[in-house]
Amino acid sequence: MRKMANFHDKVVYQIYPKSFCDTNHDGLGDIKGVTSKLDYLAYLGVDYLWLNPFFVSPQKDGGYDITDYRKIDPAYGTMEDLEELIAEAKKRHIYLMFDMVFNHTSTTHDWFKQALTGNEKYQQYYYFVKGKEDGSMPTNWESKFGGPVWQYVEDLDAYYLHLFDPTQADLNWKNPEVRQELADIVNFWIDKGVKGFRFDVINLID
């Protein structure tokens, strides 16, 4: 990944897009809503806008369960809306930083769906583990959201790891292909003009 900005002397303003500003009157905030407030944010002296996830997601965990890291959830707008936000913010010397959720993906992500079909490459993107000899879970670990961290998949006769909700399957960072995929995602957004990233629960990555 390319070198990122230094934030030590910058003002970072966090925005949860869903509740920030609704421009199409559907009850949810949107990207255009952020753009509409740029002059005020510039007046406040903001250097960076930290946007919480607005990627395609089934919203089992407020958008922190991501189906596609490169696509905008239509509830928030379009890629063109985001490109406009990046460009208009830059005119005001404001830059964007994204919340990236790389500890896990949604189980609706294509990688995970491929894993469920038996694709060994994508099974290695996650932690699929056989149970004990009696068929019980590999460990007695508990999820951050309560209950076990293991979810059984009958077709594979294996459990997958989820430190959070069962719909959030943990990624296997020991796999260099996973690390490269995630680096490619970051570089995709850098090429769009995004200047910073906040990596969610990065302390839990193995």
Side-chain angles (χ1 to χ4, degrees):
M1 290 183 288
R2 302 173 181 86
K3 185 178 180 181
M4 297 308 300
N6 186 325
F7 298 100
H8 291 164
D9 60 349
K10 304 302 182 184
V11 176
V12 179
Y13 188 99
Q14 182 180 4
I15 291 176
Y16 187 55
K18 185 183 289 186
S19 62
F20 184 70
C21 181
D22 175 15
T23 60
N24 61 1
H25 310 295
D26 65 353
L28 295 176
D30 45 55
I31 293 169
K32 283 185 175 293
V34 180
T35 305
S36 74
K37 300 299 182 182
L38 285 174
D39 285 338
Y40 179 63
L41 292 165
Y43 169 76
L44 293 177
V46 171
D47 296 301
Y48 285 86
L49 299 179
W50 161 16
L51 299 184
N52 294 118
F54 51 83
F55 308 108
V56 173
S57 165
Q59 297 291 322
K60 299 292 186 182
D61 185 22
Y64 283 81
D65 49 321
I66 295 173
T67 299
D68 193 322
Y69 294 98
R70 292 182 174 90
K71 290 185 178 178
I72 312 303
D73 193 308
Y76 300 116
T78 66
M79 184 65 78
E80 290 74 21
D81 294 337
L82 181 62
E83 289 169 348
E84 179 186 27
L85 171 58
I86 293 169
E88 290 299 318
K90 184 178 180 181
K91 292 178 183 177
R92 296 161 175 82
H93 306 289
I94 298 173
Y95 299 94
L96 270 62
M97 58 184 296
F98 286 177
D99 227 335
M100 302 307 291
V101 189
F102 284 162
N103 177 72
H104 49 260
T105 71
S106 169
T107 52
T108 61
H109 196 293
D110 187 62
W111 298 341
F112 193 80
K113 291 194 289 186
Q114 289 286 341
L116 292 183
T117 68
N119 187 317
E120 292 185 4
K121 172 184 174 178
Y122 289 103
Q123 287 177 358
Q124 294 301 314
Y125 276 35
Y126 299 91
Y127 291 96
F128 282 91
V129 179
K130 293 292 185 182
K132 296 179 179 178
E133 289 186 7
D134 62 0
S136 61
M137 296 178 187
T139 70
N140 64 353
W141 302 344
E142 290 192 5
S143 162
K144 301 289 185 181
F145 287 179
V149 300
W150 299 104
Q151 184 74 19
Y152 184 64
V153 180
E154 186 173 0
D155 289 346
L156 301 178
D157 188 27
Y159 295 85
Y160 68 84
L161 179 69
H162 61 89
L163 294 182
F164 293 88
D165 189 80
T167 63
Q168 295 168 291
D170 277 45
L171 287 165
N172 176 12
W173 272 72
K174 295 177 181 177
N175 183 340
E177 290 186 76
V178 169
R179 296 197 299 272
Q180 186 59 57
E181 292 265 24
L182 301 179
D184 289 347
I185 290 164
V186 169
N187 286 330
F188 171 85
W189 289 114
I190 291 174
D191 290 341
K192 290 281 188 184
V194 177
K195 295 295 185 180
F197 300 90
R198 178 258 181 185
F199 295 101
D200 185 61
V201 295
I202 197 71
N203 59 304
L204 298 180
I205 289 171
D206 185 0

